[in-house]
Amino acid sequence: YSKIYAFEPDPISFSALKNNVRLYKNVICEPTGVYSKTEEMRFARSDVTPTPGGAGFDKSGDIKVRSVSLDEYFHGRLVTLIKMDPPGDIIPKALKGAAKLIKQHKPKLAIGAYHSFSSIYQIPNIIHGIRPDYNISLRHNSWYIGETDVLAF
């Protein structure tokens, strides 16, 4: 890789991210979320939600965070891989915000598909709608009920 961009809006998780990648070169960490457009949004931090994985965009969230559209953030620059696994049902909106990049560059995709009941079929359909020439598959990555990803190449 030449550069890795990691987006994490939760302050606690962002701190852990920065610590975990400190020994790697060319990793750019952004304290932002990924969404359909660039804007400020309400966000529930992981330390105030009932479960550690409960952080996410929430109209009653305790802080405001910046969200970005990947199309706007990268302005058409080459992107070769998008790995995305935000909690909740954010992925369809985040894919909408990356549609130009996906259409133009056809990056490899590894997208979490277990955060909602509809994700397992909705995410492949969104990807296929953007680039019908992807080979799309599902892969389950652990013994746990979650962790199923949509892979597109």
Side-chain angles (χ1 to χ4, degrees):
Y1 70 92
S2 60
K3 284 187 184 176
I4 294 174
Y5 293 84
F7 298 87
E8 177 53 64
D10 181 59
I12 292 170
S13 297
F14 183 76
S15 178
L17 170 66
K18 292 280 288 183
N19 184 53
N20 288 338
V21 301
R22 71 185 184 285
L23 300 177
Y24 296 95
K25 294 180 181 180
N26 297 324
V27 177
I28 293 92
C29 298
E30 293 286 358
T32 61
V34 177
Y35 203 64
S36 57
K37 59 185 176 180
T38 300
E39 64 179 317
E40 259 197 11
M41 300 177 70
R42 302 294 307 174
F43 188 86
R45 295 182 322 217
S46 60
D47 61 335
V48 298
T49 57
T51 61
F57 295 126
D58 185 332
K59 290 179 182 173
S60 61
D62 58 312
I63 61 172
K64 283 187 177 179
V65 298
R66 184 171 173 252
S67 70
V68 297
S69 151
L70 293 180
D71 287 339
E72 293 175 23
Y73 183 88
F74 289 106
H75 301 289
R77 289 180 282 159
L78 178 63
V79 173
T80 59
L81 170 69
I82 297 174
K83 192 244 183 257
M84 186 182 302
D85 194 12
D89 200 18
I90 298 300
I91 291 173
K93 292 173 179 73
L95 286 171
K96 180 181 176 186
K100 290 178 187 171
L101 281 173
I102 293 169
K103 190 173 281 192
Q104 182 178 15
H105 300 294
K106 195 182 178 188
K108 292 178 174 94
L109 303 175
I111 312 294
Y114 60 94
H115 293 288
S116 73
F117 290 119
S118 62
S119 292
I120 202 120
Y121 64 86
Q122 185 181 32
I123 292 168
N125 284 333
I126 291 169
I127 294 167
H128 186 263
I130 297 169
R131 284 284 308 229
D133 59 335
Y134 269 114
N135 291 318
I136 298 174
S137 61
L138 289 174
R139 164 112 359 126
H140 189 71
N141 298 307
S142 78
W143 59 269
Y144 179 67
I145 194 167
E147 306 302 327
T148 300
D149 293 333
V150 172
L151 303 176
F153 299 91

